[in-house]
Amino acid sequence: MNISQPTIIDRAAQPYVAITSSVPMNQLGSNLPPLIGEVFGWLGAHDIAPAGSPFWKYNIIDMEGELEVEVGVPVASEVTGDDRVQGGVLPAGRYATLHHVGHPDELIDATAALLKWADGETLTWDVSDTPDGERWAARLELYQTDPDEEPDMNKWETDLVFKLSD
């Protein structure tokens, strides 16, 4: 696994559009990737330019049940969505981050490495326990590689960016 040393960064608020999906962990890789194309298609149909790389935003994590994930794309300014695509804003604040190069299957281990590092640094996540699972303010996988340009999944680049409590 090829990951960078984790760091802490400050991020400004970032408007985005996304499709929200609830899915079991074992279906993430099959159910969510097609939604990226749907979001880009929606942006194109509304003449809205993307303002960054697509991402998955993990809102609720229940490893035994379902995860609530937003498949999103940053935009320059806030957008009102519709019944399928919603607008939102990623919160400003401090984030722990690391850069991963490799197959998406390795992101589970990369995530574990980031969580372990933060624990060792006594950092606190912006997360709360709910009856549905852990609700995160912003737990992101930013996909830096366009699969059309780099079909080798072992060369894909992903940034993990998780919001810390203030």
Side-chain angles (χ1 to χ4, degrees):
M1 182 172 57
N2 182 355
I3 60 172
S4 68
Q5 178 64 30
T7 59
I8 297 173
I9 59 171
D10 288 309
R11 287 178 52 101
Q14 173 67 64
Y16 69 95
V17 295
I19 297 173
T20 303
S21 182
S22 292
V23 62
M25 181 69 184
N26 65 356
Q27 294 178 14
L28 283 176
S30 58
N31 290 11
L32 298 184
L35 299 179
I36 293 174
E38 189 176 341
V39 173
F40 276 114
W42 188 92
L43 288 171
H46 291 83
D47 290 324
I48 300 170
S53 300
F55 61 84
W56 290 1
K57 179 179 180 279
Y58 292 82
N59 292 333
I60 297 177
I61 298 178
D62 177 358
M63 298 301 277
E64 304 304 316
E66 292 198 334
L67 293 84
E68 180 187 288
V69 182
E70 291 180 63
V71 176
V73 176
V75 293
S77 57
E78 289 189 51
V79 173
T80 301
D82 56 29
D83 291 342
R84 179 76 171 148
V85 177
Q86 291 91 39
V89 178
L90 298 173
R94 292 182 333 125
Y95 287 74
T97 184
L98 67 73
H99 184 75
H100 170 264
V101 179
H103 197 283
D105 288 347
E106 297 173 355
L107 290 173
I108 292 173
D109 292 335
T111 297
L114 181 59
L115 295 172
K116 181 179 178 183
W117 172 81
D119 189 46
E121 298 290 317
T122 62
L123 299 170
T124 307
W125 302 113
D126 192 345
V127 63
S128 57
D129 287 322
T130 72
D132 296 326
E134 295 178 343
R135 176 168 285 283
W136 288 72
R139 179 171 167 161
L140 308 169
E141 292 177 358
L142 306 176
Y143 302 109
Q144 305 297 350
T145 304
D146 181 342
D148 292 336
E149 294 177 13
E150 178 53 76
D152 184 350
M153 296 172 80
N154 294 307
K155 295 180 181 177
W156 285 7
E157 298 186 32
T158 307
D159 291 325
L160 301 182
V161 184
F162 296 4
K163 187 168 184 316
L164 295 166
S165 61
D166 295 326

mmCIF file of all heavy atoms in Angstrom, residues 20-70:
data_model
loop_
_atom_site.group_PDB
_atom_site.id
_atom_site.type_symbol
_atom_site.label_atom_id
_atom_site.label_comp_id
_atom_site.label_asym_id
_atom_site.label_seq_id
_atom_site.Cartn_x
_atom_site.Cartn_y
_atom_site.Cartn_z
ATOM 1 N N THR A 20 -27.417 11.014 -2.800
ATOM 2 C CA THR A 20 -27.254 10.258 -1.560
ATOM 3 C C THR A 20 -27.785 8.843 -1.743
ATOM 4 O O THR A 20 -28.842 8.646 -2.339
ATOM 5 C CB THR A 20 -28.008 10.958 -0.411
ATOM 6 O OG1 THR A 20 -27.534 12.301 -0.289
ATOM 7 C CG2 THR A 20 -27.787 10.228 0.910
ATOM 8 N N SER A 21 -27.023 7.879 -1.232
ATOM 9 C CA SER A 21 -27.407 6.481 -1.335
ATOM 10 C C SER A 21 -27.123 5.772 -0.021
ATOM 11 O O SER A 21 -26.128 6.058 0.641
ATOM 12 C CB SER A 21 -26.615 5.817 -2.469
ATOM 13 O OG SER A 21 -26.990 4.476 -2.626
ATOM 14 N N SER A 22 -28.003 4.872 0.360
ATOM 15 C CA SER A 22 -27.761 3.989 1.517
ATOM 16 C C SER A 22 -27.452 2.609 0.969
ATOM 17 O O SER A 22 -28.212 2.075 0.160
ATOM 18 C CB SER A 22 -28.976 3.939 2.433
ATOM 19 O OG SER A 22 -29.166 5.190 3.058
ATOM 20 N N VAL A 23 -26.318 2.058 1.401
ATOM 21 C CA VAL A 23 -25.832 0.820 0.800
ATOM 22 C C VAL A 23 -25.029 0.023 1.832
ATOM 23 O O VAL A 23 -24.335 0.600 2.666
ATOM 24 C CB VAL A 23 -24.973 1.159 -0.449
ATOM 25 C CG1 VAL A 23 -23.769 1.982 -0.085
ATOM 26 C CG2 VAL A 23 -24.588 -0.054 -1.227
ATOM 27 N N PRO A 24 -25.133 -1.315 1.811
ATOM 28 C CA PRO A 24 -24.270 -2.118 2.679
ATOM 29 C C PRO A 24 -22.815 -2.023 2.219
ATOM 30 O O PRO A 24 -22.539 -1.787 1.035
ATOM 31 C CB PRO A 24 -24.788 -3.548 2.515
ATOM 32 C CG PRO A 24 -25.982 -3.495 1.639
ATOM 33 C CD PRO A 24 -26.071 -2.131 1.043
ATOM 34 N N MET A 25 -21.913 -2.200 3.133
ATOM 35 C CA MET A 25 -20.478 -2.087 2.849
ATOM 36 C C MET A 25 -20.069 -2.934 1.639
ATOM 37 O O MET A 25 -19.298 -2.480 0.797
ATOM 38 C CB MET A 25 -19.676 -2.498 4.095
ATOM 39 C CG MET A 25 -18.200 -2.407 3.947
ATOM 40 S SD MET A 25 -17.669 -0.683 3.817
ATOM 41 C CE MET A 25 -15.935 -0.942 3.527
ATOM 42 N N ASN A 26 -20.601 -4.147 1.522
ATOM 43 C CA ASN A 26 -20.153 -5.049 0.455
ATOM 44 C C ASN A 26 -20.698 -4.669 -0.926
ATOM 45 O O ASN A 26 -20.362 -5.312 -1.911
ATOM 46 C CB ASN A 26 -20.506 -6.500 0.789
ATOM 47 C CG ASN A 26 -21.998 -6.757 0.845
ATOM 48 O OD1 ASN A 26 -22.814 -5.850 0.711
ATOM 49 N ND2 ASN A 26 -22.357 -8.011 1.070
ATOM 50 N N GLN A 27 -21.514 -3.623 -0.999
ATOM 51 C CA GLN A 27 -22.043 -3.185 -2.292
ATOM 52 C C GLN A 27 -21.567 -1.791 -2.693
ATOM 53 O O GLN A 27 -21.997 -1.258 -3.715
ATOM 54 C CB GLN A 27 -23.575 -3.230 -2.283
ATOM 55 C CG GLN A 27 -24.121 -4.637 -2.169
ATOM 56 C CD GLN A 27 -25.642 -4.660 -2.102
ATOM 57 O OE1 GLN A 27 -26.311 -3.687 -2.385
ATOM 58 N NE2 GLN A 27 -26.181 -5.805 -1.713
ATOM 59 N N LEU A 28 -20.661 -1.194 -1.911
ATOM 60 C CA LEU A 28 -20.159 0.141 -2.239
ATOM 61 C C LEU A 28 -19.586 0.195 -3.655
ATOM 62 O O LEU A 28 -19.920 1.081 -4.438
ATOM 63 C CB LEU A 28 -19.060 0.570 -1.250
ATOM 64 C CG LEU A 28 -19.465 1.036 0.129
ATOM 65 C CD1 LEU A 28 -18.223 1.316 0.970
ATOM 66 C CD2 LEU A 28 -20.349 2.251 0.064
ATOM 67 N N GLY A 29 -18.709 -0.743 -3.966
ATOM 68 C CA GLY A 29 -17.995 -0.725 -5.236
ATOM 69 C C GLY A 29 -18.861 -0.975 -6.455
ATOM 70 O O GLY A 29 -18.482 -0.622 -7.571
ATOM 71 N N SER A 30 -20.040 -1.564 -6.258
ATOM 72 C CA SER A 30 -20.916 -1.818 -7.404
ATOM 73 C C SER A 30 -22.024 -0.776 -7.525
ATOM 74 O O SER A 30 -22.383 -0.382 -8.629
ATOM 75 C CB SER A 30 -21.519 -3.223 -7.319
ATOM 76 O OG SER A 30 -22.246 -3.379 -6.114
ATOM 77 N N ASN A 31 -22.549 -0.292 -6.405
ATOM 78 C CA ASN A 31 -23.695 0.605 -6.440
ATOM 79 C C ASN A 31 -23.336 2.084 -6.617
ATOM 80 O O ASN A 31 -24.102 2.828 -7.210
ATOM 81 C CB ASN A 31 -24.527 0.461 -5.159
ATOM 82 C CG ASN A 31 -25.252 -0.863 -5.086
ATOM 83 O OD1 ASN A 31 -24.996 -1.771 -5.866
ATOM 84 N ND2 ASN A 31 -26.163 -0.985 -4.145
ATOM 85 N N LEU A 32 -22.192 2.513 -6.096
ATOM 86 C CA LEU A 32 -21.905 3.948 -6.076
ATOM 87 C C LEU A 32 -21.175 4.496 -7.303
ATOM 88 O O LEU A 32 -21.483 5.608 -7.735
ATOM 89 C CB LEU A 32 -21.144 4.315 -4.798
ATOM 90 C CG LEU A 32 -21.899 4.044 -3.486
ATOM 91 C CD1 LEU A 32 -21.089 4.530 -2.298
ATOM 92 C CD2 LEU A 32 -23.284 4.667 -3.475
ATOM 93 N N PRO A 33 -20.199 3.787 -7.890
ATOM 94 C CA PRO A 33 -19.469 4.388 -9.021
ATOM 95 C C PRO A 33 -20.352 4.915 -10.166
ATOM 96 O O PRO A 33 -20.057 5.995 -10.697
ATOM 97 C CB PRO A 33 -18.539 3.265 -9.480
ATOM 98 C CG PRO A 33 -18.262 2.501 -8.221
ATOM 99 C CD PRO A 33 -19.598 2.515 -7.492
ATOM 100 N N PRO A 34 -21.448 4.235 -10.545
ATOM 101 C CA PRO A 34 -22.272 4.788 -11.633
ATOM 102 C C PRO A 34 -22.885 6.158 -11.295
ATOM 103 O O PRO A 34 -23.214 6.931 -12.198
ATOM 104 C CB PRO A 34 -23.369 3.741 -11.830
ATOM 105 C CG PRO A 34 -22.813 2.475 -11.261
ATOM 106 C CD PRO A 34 -21.921 2.908 -10.134
ATOM 107 N N LEU A 35 -23.026 6.451 -10.003
ATOM 108 C CA LEU A 35 -23.637 7.722 -9.611
ATOM 109 C C LEU A 35 -22.744 8.909 -9.946
ATOM 110 O O LEU A 35 -23.246 10.025 -10.140
ATOM 111 C CB LEU A 35 -23.989 7.704 -8.118
ATOM 112 C CG LEU A 35 -24.996 6.635 -7.684
ATOM 113 C CD1 LEU A 35 -25.240 6.715 -6.181
ATOM 114 C CD2 LEU A 35 -26.286 6.744 -8.460
ATOM 115 N N ILE A 36 -21.426 8.699 -10.020
ATOM 116 C CA ILE A 36 -20.515 9.797 -10.374
ATOM 117 C C ILE A 36 -20.869 10.318 -11.767
ATOM 118 O O ILE A 36 -21.000 11.530 -11.975
ATOM 119 C CB ILE A 36 -19.041 9.353 -10.283
ATOM 120 C CG1 ILE A 36 -18.661 9.065 -8.823
ATOM 121 C CG2 ILE A 36 -18.118 10.427 -10.879
ATOM 122 C CD1 ILE A 36 -17.279 8.480 -8.626
ATOM 123 N N GLY A 37 -21.060 9.412 -12.719
ATOM 124 C CA GLY A 37 -21.442 9.824 -14.068
ATOM 125 C C GLY A 37 -22.788 10.526 -14.090
ATOM 126 O O GLY A 37 -22.990 11.482 -14.843
ATOM 127 N N GLU A 38 -23.711 10.063 -13.257
ATOM 128 C CA GLU A 38 -25.027 10.695 -13.187
ATOM 129 C C GLU A 38 -24.923 12.126 -12.667
ATOM 130 O O GLU A 38 -25.580 13.039 -13.181
ATOM 131 C CB GLU A 38 -25.955 9.860 -12.304
ATOM 132 C CG GLU A 38 -27.386 10.319 -12.350
ATOM 133 C CD GLU A 38 -28.345 9.446 -11.549
ATOM 134 O OE1 GLU A 38 -28.009 8.285 -11.230
ATOM 135 O OE2 GLU A 38 -29.443 9.939 -11.240
ATOM 136 N N VAL A 39 -24.077 12.351 -11.652
ATOM 137 C CA VAL A 39 -23.894 13.705 -11.117
ATOM 138 C C VAL A 39 -23.250 14.605 -12.173
ATOM 139 O O VAL A 39 -23.707 15.735 -12.399
ATOM 140 C CB VAL A 39 -23.056 13.698 -9.811
ATOM 141 C CG1 VAL A 39 -22.734 15.121 -9.366
ATOM 142 C CG2 VAL A 39 -23.794 12.942 -8.708
ATOM 143 N N PHE A 40 -22.208 14.108 -12.854
ATOM 144 C CA PHE A 40 -21.587 14.905 -13.913
ATOM 145 C C PHE A 40 -22.591 15.206 -15.030
ATOM 146 O O PHE A 40 -22.611 16.308 -15.586
ATOM 147 C CB PHE A 40 -20.348 14.214 -14.482
ATOM 148 C CG PHE A 40 -19.094 14.464 -13.692
ATOM 149 C CD1 PHE A 40 -18.467 13.427 -13.010
ATOM 150 C CD2 PHE A 40 -18.524 15.725 -13.629
ATOM 151 C CE1 PHE A 40 -17.306 13.645 -12.279
ATOM 152 C CE2 PHE A 40 -17.358 15.966 -12.903
ATOM 153 C CZ PHE A 40 -16.755 14.923 -12.225
ATOM 154 N N GLY A 41 -23.450 14.237 -15.364
ATOM 155 C CA GLY A 41 -24.481 14.456 -16.372
ATOM 156 C C GLY A 41 -25.463 15.540 -15.954
ATOM 157 O O GLY A 41 -25.867 16.392 -16.755
ATOM 158 N N TRP A 42 -25.835 15.527 -14.677
ATOM 159 C CA TRP A 42 -26.746 16.550 -14.141
ATOM 160 C C TRP A 42 -26.100 17.932 -14.230
ATOM 161 O O TRP A 42 -26.743 18.894 -14.638
ATOM 162 C CB TRP A 42 -27.115 16.205 -12.699
ATOM 163 C CG TRP A 42 -28.178 17.076 -12.102
ATOM 164 C CD1 TRP A 42 -29.524 16.840 -12.109
ATOM 165 C CD2 TRP A 42 -27.998 18.315 -11.411
ATOM 166 N NE1 TRP A 42 -30.188 17.854 -11.465
ATOM 167 C CE2 TRP A 42 -29.273 18.778 -11.023
ATOM 168 C CE3 TRP A 42 -26.885 19.079 -11.083
ATOM 169 C CZ2 TRP A 42 -29.466 19.966 -10.330
ATOM 170 C CZ3 TRP A 42 -27.069 20.267 -10.390
ATOM 171 C CH2 TRP A 42 -28.348 20.702 -10.016
ATOM 172 N N LEU A 43 -24.812 18.007 -13.850
ATOM 173 C CA LEU A 43 -24.106 19.288 -13.947
ATOM 174 C C LEU A 43 -24.110 19.801 -15.391
ATOM 175 O O LEU A 43 -24.384 20.976 -15.643
ATOM 176 C CB LEU A 43 -22.668 19.150 -13.437
ATOM 177 C CG LEU A 43 -22.495 18.994 -11.929
ATOM 178 C CD1 LEU A 43 -21.049 18.646 -11.593
ATOM 179 C CD2 LEU A 43 -22.931 20.248 -11.190
ATOM 180 N N GLY A 44 -23.797 18.907 -16.333
ATOM 181 C CA GLY A 44 -23.775 19.293 -17.739
ATOM 182 C C GLY A 44 -25.134 19.770 -18.217
ATOM 183 O O GLY A 44 -25.234 20.769 -18.943
ATOM 184 N N ALA A 45 -26.193 19.093 -17.810
ATOM 185 C CA ALA A 45 -27.545 19.467 -18.220
ATOM 186 C C ALA A 45 -27.966 20.815 -17.654
ATOM 187 O O ALA A 45 -28.837 21.486 -18.208
ATOM 188 C CB ALA A 45 -28.538 18.382 -17.786
ATOM 189 N N HIS A 46 -27.330 21.231 -16.553
ATOM 190 C CA HIS A 46 -27.653 22.507 -15.912
ATOM 191 C C HIS A 46 -26.576 23.574 -16.163
ATOM 192 O O HIS A 46 -26.579 24.617 -15.515
ATOM 193 C CB HIS A 46 -27.869 22.296 -14.405
ATOM 194 C CG HIS A 46 -29.105 21.522 -14.095
ATOM 195 N ND1 HIS A 46 -29.154 20.147 -14.130
ATOM 196 C CD2 HIS A 46 -30.363 21.926 -13.779
ATOM 197 C CE1 HIS A 46 -30.378 19.740 -13.826
ATOM 198 N NE2 HIS A 46 -31.132 20.792 -13.622
ATOM 199 N N ASP A 47 -25.655 23.281 -17.083
ATOM 200 C CA ASP A 47 -24.570 24.224 -17.427
ATOM 201 C C ASP A 47 -23.794 24.700 -16.201
ATOM 202 O O ASP A 47 -23.508 25.881 -16.050
ATOM 203 C CB ASP A 47 -25.111 25.431 -18.215
ATOM 204 C CG ASP A 47 -25.554 25.039 -19.602
ATOM 205 O OD1 ASP A 47 -24.908 24.162 -20.204
ATOM 206 O OD2 ASP A 47 -26.558 25.605 -20.088
ATOM 207 N N ILE A 48 -23.481 23.753 -15.312
ATOM 208 C CA ILE A 48 -22.706 24.055 -14.107
ATOM 209 C C ILE A 48 -21.376 23.314 -14.220
ATOM 210 O O ILE A 48 -21.354 22.099 -14.417
ATOM 211 C CB ILE A 48 -23.453 23.621 -12.835
ATOM 212 C CG1 ILE A 48 -24.802 24.350 -12.731
ATOM 213 C CG2 ILE A 48 -22.595 23.861 -11.598
ATOM 214 C CD1 ILE A 48 -25.700 23.809 -11.634
ATOM 215 N N ALA A 49 -20.283 24.053 -14.115
ATOM 216 C CA ALA A 49 -18.955 23.453 -14.222
ATOM 217 C C ALA A 49 -18.543 22.834 -12.886
ATOM 218 O O ALA A 49 -18.779 23.421 -11.824
ATOM 219 C CB ALA A 49 -17.932 24.499 -14.626
ATOM 220 N N PRO A 50 -17.905 21.654 -12.927
ATOM 221 C CA PRO A 50 -17.335 21.118 -11.687
ATOM 222 C C PRO A 50 -16.182 22.007 -11.224
ATOM 223 O O PRO A 50 -15.517 22.637 -12.037
ATOM 224 C CB PRO A 50 -16.838 19.729 -12.081
ATOM 225 C CG PRO A 50 -16.866 19.661 -13.557
ATOM 226 C CD PRO A 50 -17.695 20.795 -14.072
ATOM 227 N N ALA A 51 -15.968 22.043 -9.908
ATOM 228 C CA ALA A 51 -14.904 22.875 -9.336
ATOM 229 C C ALA A 51 -13.912 22.028 -8.556
ATOM 230 O O ALA A 51 -13.301 22.498 -7.598
ATOM 231 C CB ALA A 51 -15.516 23.957 -8.446
ATOM 232 N N GLY A 52 -13.741 20.776 -8.972
ATOM 233 C CA GLY A 52 -12.809 19.890 -8.286
ATOM 234 C C GLY A 52 -13.125 18.443 -8.596
ATOM 235 O O GLY A 52 -14.002 18.131 -9.405
ATOM 236 N N SER A 53 -12.405 17.570 -7.927
ATOM 237 C CA SER A 53 -12.522 16.130 -8.152
ATOM 238 C C SER A 53 -13.784 15.566 -7.510
ATOM 239 O O SER A 53 -14.208 16.030 -6.452
ATOM 240 C CB SER A 53 -11.319 15.418 -7.552
ATOM 241 O OG SER A 53 -10.131 15.885 -8.154
ATOM 242 N N PRO A 54 -14.354 14.517 -8.113
ATOM 243 C CA PRO A 54 -15.508 13.865 -7.490
ATOM 244 C C PRO A 54 -15.104 13.205 -6.177
ATOM 245 O O PRO A 54 -13.926 12.920 -5.950
ATOM 246 C CB PRO A 54 -15.934 12.829 -8.527
ATOM 247 C CG PRO A 54 -14.732 12.568 -9.355
ATOM 248 C CD PRO A 54 -13.930 13.845 -9.344
ATOM 249 N N PHE A 55 -16.103 12.976 -5.339
ATOM 250 C CA PHE A 55 -15.822 12.395 -4.020
ATOM 251 C C PHE A 55 -16.987 11.554 -3.555
ATOM 252 O O PHE A 55 -18.100 11.647 -4.070
ATOM 253 C CB PHE A 55 -15.529 13.497 -2.998
ATOM 254 C CG PHE A 55 -16.659 14.464 -2.788
ATOM 255 C CD1 PHE A 55 -17.699 14.181 -1.919
ATOM 256 C CD2 PHE A 55 -16.688 15.683 -3.462
ATOM 257 C CE1 PHE A 55 -18.750 15.067 -1.735
ATOM 258 C CE2 PHE A 55 -17.734 16.579 -3.287
ATOM 259 C CZ PHE A 55 -18.767 16.270 -2.412
ATOM 260 N N TRP A 56 -16.694 10.730 -2.550
ATOM 261 C CA TRP A 56 -17.712 10.069 -1.750
ATOM 262 C C TRP A 56 -17.618 10.683 -0.366
ATOM 263 O O TRP A 56 -16.532 10.793 0.211
ATOM 264 C CB TRP A 56 -17.487 8.573 -1.654
ATOM 265 C CG TRP A 56 -17.727 7.814 -2.926
ATOM 266 C CD1 TRP A 56 -18.110 8.317 -4.142
ATOM 267 C CD2 TRP A 56 -17.583 6.415 -3.107
ATOM 268 N NE1 TRP A 56 -18.209 7.308 -5.057
ATOM 269 C CE2 TRP A 56 -17.898 6.121 -4.460
ATOM 270 C CE3 TRP A 56 -17.219 5.371 -2.264
ATOM 271 C CZ2 TRP A 56 -17.860 4.839 -4.973
ATOM 272 C CZ3 TRP A 56 -17.181 4.092 -2.787
ATOM 273 C CH2 TRP A 56 -17.504 3.819 -4.124
ATOM 274 N N LYS A 57 -18.768 11.107 0.166
ATOM 275 C CA LYS A 57 -18.857 11.665 1.515
ATOM 276 C C LYS A 57 -19.653 10.686 2.366
ATOM 277 O O LYS A 57 -20.836 10.475 2.145
ATOM 278 C CB LYS A 57 -19.536 13.037 1.477
ATOM 279 C CG LYS A 57 -19.706 13.692 2.834
ATOM 280 C CD LYS A 57 -20.382 15.071 2.678
ATOM 281 C CE LYS A 57 -20.560 15.753 4.008
ATOM 282 N NZ LYS A 57 -21.747 15.259 4.733
ATOM 283 N N TYR A 58 -18.957 10.072 3.315
ATOM 284 C CA TYR A 58 -19.589 9.091 4.198
ATOM 285 C C TYR A 58 -20.291 9.841 5.330
ATOM 286 O O TYR A 58 -19.636 10.393 6.208
ATOM 287 C CB TYR A 58 -18.542 8.136 4.766
ATOM 288 C CG TYR A 58 -17.931 7.235 3.723
ATOM 289 C CD1 TYR A 58 -16.890 7.673 2.905
ATOM 290 C CD2 TYR A 58 -18.413 5.947 3.540
ATOM 291 C CE1 TYR A 58 -16.336 6.849 1.931
ATOM 292 C CE2 TYR A 58 -17.867 5.110 2.572
ATOM 293 C CZ TYR A 58 -16.831 5.575 1.780
ATOM 294 O OH TYR A 58 -16.288 4.751 0.819
ATOM 295 N N ASN A 59 -21.621 9.871 5.292
ATOM 296 C CA ASN A 59 -22.387 10.567 6.325
ATOM 297 C C ASN A 59 -22.620 9.690 7.542
ATOM 298 O O ASN A 59 -22.391 10.120 8.667
ATOM 299 C CB ASN A 59 -23.743 11.024 5.765
ATOM 300 C CG ASN A 59 -23.602 12.114 4.724
ATOM 301 O OD1 ASN A 59 -22.646 12.881 4.742
ATOM 302 N ND2 ASN A 59 -24.544 12.174 3.805
ATOM 303 N N ILE A 60 -23.136 8.486 7.306
ATOM 304 C CA ILE A 60 -23.416 7.554 8.406
ATOM 305 C C ILE A 60 -22.694 6.249 8.117
ATOM 306 O O ILE A 60 -22.806 5.700 7.013
ATOM 307 C CB ILE A 60 -24.924 7.305 8.578
ATOM 308 C CG1 ILE A 60 -25.626 8.614 8.948
ATOM 309 C CG2 ILE A 60 -25.168 6.235 9.639
ATOM 310 C CD1 ILE A 60 -27.126 8.500 9.070
ATOM 311 N N ILE A 61 -21.963 5.775 9.116
ATOM 312 C CA ILE A 61 -21.219 4.525 8.975
ATOM 313 C C ILE A 61 -21.726 3.525 9.997
ATOM 314 O O ILE A 61 -21.634 3.748 11.203
ATOM 315 C CB ILE A 61 -19.702 4.757 9.142
ATOM 316 C CG1 ILE A 61 -19.208 5.685 8.041
ATOM 317 C CG2 ILE A 61 -18.951 3.433 9.133
ATOM 318 C CD1 ILE A 61 -17.755 6.027 8.101
ATOM 319 N N ASP A 62 -22.300 2.445 9.475
ATOM 320 C CA ASP A 62 -22.707 1.296 10.280
ATOM 321 C C ASP A 62 -22.190 0.076 9.525
ATOM 322 O O ASP A 62 -22.833 -0.400 8.583
ATOM 323 C CB ASP A 62 -24.231 1.257 10.436
ATOM 324 C CG ASP A 62 -24.701 0.026 11.212
ATOM 325 O OD1 ASP A 62 -23.863 -0.806 11.598
ATOM 326 O OD2 ASP A 62 -25.918 -0.099 11.415
ATOM 327 N N MET A 63 -21.025 -0.389 9.906
ATOM 328 C CA MET A 63 -20.363 -1.455 9.160
ATOM 329 C C MET A 63 -21.193 -2.739 9.126
ATOM 330 O O MET A 63 -21.072 -3.524 8.201
ATOM 331 C CB MET A 63 -18.974 -1.733 9.737
ATOM 332 C CG MET A 63 -18.028 -0.555 9.646
ATOM 333 S SD MET A 63 -17.749 0.019 7.968
ATOM 334 C CE MET A 63 -16.499 -1.137 7.457
ATOM 335 N N GLU A 64 -22.040 -2.953 10.119
ATOM 336 C CA GLU A 64 -22.882 -4.148 10.137
ATOM 337 C C GLU A 64 -24.184 -3.944 9.368
ATOM 338 O O GLU A 64 -24.828 -4.910 8.970
ATOM 339 C CB GLU A 64 -23.197 -4.546 11.588
ATOM 340 C CG GLU A 64 -21.970 -4.775 12.443
ATOM 341 C CD GLU A 64 -21.025 -5.814 11.871
ATOM 342 O OE1 GLU A 64 -21.509 -6.865 11.426
ATOM 343 O OE2 GLU A 64 -19.815 -5.563 11.846
ATOM 344 N N GLY A 65 -24.567 -2.693 9.170
ATOM 345 C CA GLY A 65 -25.815 -2.385 8.480
ATOM 346 C C GLY A 65 -25.534 -1.666 7.174
ATOM 347 O O GLY A 65 -24.845 -2.182 6.297
ATOM 348 N N GLU A 66 -26.056 -0.451 7.071
ATOM 349 C CA GLU A 66 -25.872 0.325 5.845
ATOM 350 C C GLU A 66 -25.062 1.575 6.110
ATOM 351 O O GLU A 66 -25.022 2.087 7.230
ATOM 352 C CB GLU A 66 -27.229 0.691 5.236
ATOM 353 C CG GLU A 66 -27.960 -0.516 4.696
ATOM 354 C CD GLU A 66 -29.057 -0.138 3.719
ATOM 355 O OE1 GLU A 66 -29.600 0.978 3.798
ATOM 356 O OE2 GLU A 66 -29.366 -0.983 2.850
ATOM 357 N N LEU A 67 -24.424 2.044 5.058
ATOM 358 C CA LEU A 67 -23.707 3.301 5.083
ATOM 359 C C LEU A 67 -24.502 4.300 4.262
ATOM 360 O O LEU A 67 -25.032 3.950 3.206
ATOM 361 C CB LEU A 67 -22.313 3.150 4.475
ATOM 362 C CG LEU A 67 -21.331 2.281 5.251
ATOM 363 C CD1 LEU A 67 -21.517 0.817 4.932
ATOM 364 C CD2 LEU A 67 -19.922 2.697 4.948
ATOM 365 N N GLU A 68 -24.609 5.532 4.746
ATOM 366 C CA GLU A 68 -25.209 6.595 3.951
ATOM 367 C C GLU A 68 -24.067 7.376 3.328
ATOM 368 O O GLU A 68 -23.222 7.931 4.037
ATOM 369 C CB GLU A 68 -26.067 7.525 4.808
ATOM 370 C CG GLU A 68 -26.708 8.643 3.985
ATOM 371 C CD GLU A 68 -27.428 9.655 4.848
ATOM 372 O OE1 GLU A 68 -28.495 9.326 5.390
ATOM 373 O OE2 GLU A 68 -26.899 10.783 4.971
ATOM 374 N N VAL A 69 -24.017 7.372 2.006
ATOM 375 C CA VAL A 69 -22.902 7.972 1.281
ATOM 376 C C VAL A 69 -23.450 8.941 0.241
ATOM 377 O O VAL A 69 -24.400 8.624 -0.477
ATOM 378 C CB VAL A 69 -22.052 6.889 0.581
ATOM 379 C CG1 VAL A 69 -20.859 7.514 -0.127
ATOM 380 C CG2 VAL A 69 -21.588 5.839 1.582
ATOM 381 N N GLU A 70 -22.830 10.120 0.167
ATOM 382 C CA GLU A 70 -23.138 11.060 -0.899
ATOM 383 C C GLU A 70 -22.054 10.932 -1.963
ATOM 384 O O GLU A 70 -20.866 10.985 -1.654
ATOM 385 C CB GLU A 70 -23.163 12.494 -0.374
ATOM 386 C CG GLU A 70 -24.313 12.792 0.558
ATOM 387 C CD GLU A 70 -24.282 14.224 1.047
ATOM 388 O OE1 GLU A 70 -24.408 15.152 0.216
ATOM 389 O OE2 GLU A 70 -24.110 14.418 2.267
#
